[in-house]
Amino acid sequence: MKNKLTLRKVRWKLTLICAGTTIFILLVMSFLLLSISQKNLNNTHFLSFQNNMTAFLATIEAQTVFSHKWLADAERVGKFQVQIKDNGNDFLFNSQTENETKTLLFEYAKSYYDSRYNPVLLPSPSYHTEFHLTYEKSSYYVCIANLSREGGTLEVIVTYSTADLERLIAGQRILFLAINLAAFLVLLLFAYYFTGRLLAPIAENQKNQTNFVAAASHELRTPLAVILSLTSACKKTFPEEKNFYLDTIESEGKHMSRLVNDLLMLSHTDSHTFSIEKADWEPDTLLLNSFEAFEPMAKENGITLSISLPDEVSAPYFLDRERILQVLALLIHNALSYTPSGGRVDLSLKVFHKFLLFQVSDNGTGIADLEKENIFKRFYRVDKSHNDKNHHGLGLSIAAEIVQAHHGSIQVSDTQGGGSTFTVALPL
Ligand code: ADP
């Protein structure tokens, strides 16, 4: 439970780090892009205002007379406001269109221009200047021009409100913010899913470790309890009966020792400290050795044990003799244990394609299809009520680890007519 909580915490931390880092980079990039885009937008607008002004002023300069309607149309189309003074006198147009705010803006623009640009009369009598102006928290583009005409000069002030442009920029900012927010949410989901997948094998591993420790403790508890109770009984009994108790204690101790060895071996495979020492060995000799080792047990159990080897002598094969003998012993021991008296167990060796195949086939109880995958799991026993001290459900998982270390595979299938056939395939 605690592990689960820690993993959940790690998952959230990783999610936030992943999504946070990515969104930070995204935000910086968006911010840079946005400022570049807005700078360009401002420049383009200002350039377009300058061009408009050049055209507008050229038209004014070219006309000797221009009507009130023409100026009003120009103002409406260009979305700007104009003030014209002829030799310092207001045009009729001004008095008709200006209100107090407009007049104040023109005055402010003129005084700002005079103070900022300190105009000097250029050699060319006509000139115009465009600049940015902020007046009462609003932004404007302003054009101030002096146009020389017959009989004097025209002083023109044009103001253009950039409110539309600011609205456009504000819209862009909101859009960017919304996109970034949506990206953050998507990233968060993705990172959560991704870290979940990343941590799944760790969680699985942790679960397996916990189950393994629980099962191991459970298996060790029984012989330990027997040893303890026999020890206390031994203390109270007559000296001539002590040997009986001591023999049983020794036998339980041996079971425990075997189990601990198995556990150690699996723990070595888990921590990748399990090593195999390969050398050239003849596989038929190995199978023959195993056959000879189990012949007495087969006889004792009333089971016929047979062996079939290829006709030609097998070439030496690069393997770990002790480990492969261990695998064969586990399979033969199982076959003899799960085959009733009167049954048979056949051992065989074949070379098939590029594989060396060891087969242990019995006509015993067999294994249901649904159980075939499970039997290779640690501490898994099909018949849990079958309480044999030599069977802890670790044999096949150890065999699988050894075969895997040889880059081979182990499989179980049904024997024709009933029973199980275990095949160990080692690549040649
Ligand atoms: P165990 O030490 O209990 O035999 P194994 O890992 O060797 O553990 O085997 C796991 C389970 O697979 C056994 O408990 C048994 O139910 C089943 N099994 C293994 N070999 C055979 C076989 N030859 N015939 C029938 N069942 C088998």
Side-chain angles (χ1 to χ4, degrees):
M1 188 67 186
K2 201 178 162 209
N3 285 340
K4 225 175 180 180
L5 273 178
T6 321
L7 267 182
R8 197 170 296 166
K9 261 189 195 166
V10 171
R11 185 178 184 182
W12 271 113
K13 263 188 194 164
L14 277 176
T15 303
L16 287 176
I17 290 172
C18 280
T21 318
T22 323
I23 202 68
F24 175 73
I25 296 170
L26 212 72
L27 267 175
V28 170
M29 281 173 62
S30 303
F31 179 75
L32 282 175
L33 263 169
L34 191 67
S35 49
I36 291 170
S37 133
Q38 289 180 356
K39 209 172 166 191
N40 283 343
L41 210 64
N42 267 324
N43 286 346
T44 323
H45 258 71
F46 189 63
L47 210 69
S48 141
F49 174 72
Q50 279 179 316
N51 290 340
N52 285 348
M53 287 306 101
T54 310
F56 174 64
L57 295 171
T59 318
I60 292 183
E61 216 172 5
Q63 292 181 40
T64 41
V65 185
F66 40 88
S67 68
H68 170 266
K69 186 178 175 303
W70 180 83
L71 271 174
D73 281 349
E75 270 195 331
R76 190 172 38 78
V77 174
K79 291 180 182 167
F80 51 69
Q81 292 164 343
V82 189
Q83 187 193 59
I84 303 176
K85 286 190 175 176
D86 191 1
N87 291 321
N89 300 318
D90 273 345
F91 250 46
L92 176 64
F93 175 72
N94 297 348
S95 53
Q96 281 185 355
T97 59
E98 277 180 22
N99 55 33
E100 201 184 338
T101 327
K102 262 167 104 177
T103 317
L104 286 175
L105 174 62
F106 287 132
E107 275 171 14
Y108 180 74
K110 181 75 174 78
S111 65
Y112 178 85
Y113 171 76
D114 288 345
S115 66
R116 182 82 189 263
Y117 294 93
N118 194 15
V120 272
L121 276 176
L122 298 169
S124 152
S126 291
Y127 62 90
H128 61 99
T129 309
E130 287 80 24
F131 55 91
H132 294 256
L133 179 78
T134 305
Y135 176 68
E136 292 192 338
K137 292 184 185 158
S138 301
S139 286
Y140 297 91
Y141 293 157
V142 178
C143 168
I144 293 207
N146 257 311
L147 306 176
S148 100
R149 284 156 57 95
E150 251 178 63
T153 53
L154 274 184
E155 199 180 296
V156 183
I157 305 179
V158 181
T159 59
Y160 171 82
S161 166
T162 57
D164 283 350
L165 177 66
E166 271 153 27
R167 261 194 297 278
L168 192 76
I169 287 175
Q172 264 191 3
R173 281 181 189 158
I174 290 170
L175 192 70
F176 260 70
L177 211 71
I179 289 173
N180 274 312
L181 201 73
F184 180 64
L185 290 178
V186 172
L187 272 168
L188 208 65
L189 277 177
F190 175 74
Y192 188 73
Y193 168 77
F194 183 70
T195 48
R197 294 204 56 167
L198 207 74
L199 293 174
I202 299 174
E204 178 71 20
N205 212 15
Q206 259 186 3
K207 199 174 117 199
N208 288 344
Q209 290 286 351
T210 315
N211 290 346
F212 184 65
V213 171
S217 319
H218 181 78
E219 292 295 327
L220 285 168
R221 207 170 48 187
T222 317
L224 205 59
V226 174
I227 288 175
L228 288 175
S229 77
L230 287 175
T231 315
S232 69
C234 185
K235 278 182 191 162
K236 292 174 202 155
T237 194
F238 302 108
E240 58 274 19
E241 284 178 15
K242 276 194 189 332
N243 271 352
F244 166 75
Y245 290 108
L246 288 175
D247 284 349
T248 323
I249 289 173
E250 189 184 14
S251 138
E252 288 296 326
K254 278 181 185 162
H255 287 316
M256 274 183 80
S257 157
R258 252 200 309 276
L259 180 59
V260 169
N261 281 340
D262 285 353
L263 292 173
L264 273 176
M265 155 131 196
L266 285 172
S267 125
H268 281 313
T269 62
D270 286 348
S271 58
H272 304 287
T273 49
F274 168 69
S275 64
I276 50 169
E277 285 159 25
K278 286 182 176 180
D280 279 334
W281 294 100
E282 283 157 5
D284 47 2
T285 314
L286 293 191
L287 195 64
L288 205 59
N289 289 348
S290 310
F291 170 77
E292 284 163 2
F294 279 93
E295 245 188 333
M297 182 180 170
K299 240 183 219 151
E300 204 176 298
N301 292 6
I303 296 169
T304 313
L305 184 65
S306 73
I307 181 166
S308 116
L309 296 171
D311 292 337
E312 68 275 19
V313 180
S314 339
Y317 183 79
F318 200 52
L319 45 76
D320 186 326
R321 180 177 183 274
E322 294 309 316
R323 302 286 191 200
I324 293 298
L325 278 177
Q326 193 180 352
V327 172
L328 293 173
L330 286 164
L331 296 181
I332 301 169
H333 190 258
N334 274 352
L336 294 175
S337 305
Y338 299 106
T339 303
S341 177
R344 47 177 306 116
V345 172
D346 303 315
L347 315 182
S348 71
L349 177 70
K350 283 179 214 153
V351 175
F352 184 70
H353 290 296
K354 290 188 169 170
F355 287 94
L356 189 67
L357 303 182
F358 288 102
Q359 269 187 337
V360 179
S361 178
D362 64 60
N363 65 350
T365 54
I367 299 162
D369 284 346
L370 278 177
E371 302 284 6
K372 283 194 172 87
E373 229 173 87
N374 295 331
I375 56 169
F376 293 97
K377 290 180 186 160
R378 294 173 185 188
F379 292 109
Y380 191 87
R381 278 177 297 195
V382 176
D383 181 6
K384 284 152 190 96
S385 60
H386 184 86
N387 211 355
D388 185 335
K389 285 175 187 157
N390 288 313
H391 293 276
H392 299 282
L394 289 179
L396 288 178
S397 44
I398 290 177
E401 296 284 0
I402 295 174
V403 173
Q404 228 170 52
H406 282 80
H407 307 291
S409 67
I410 180 165
Q411 273 165 358
V412 61
S413 58
D414 294 330
T415 311
Q416 251 187 351
S420 321
T421 298
F422 283 84
T423 307
V424 172
L426 301 180
L428 283 173

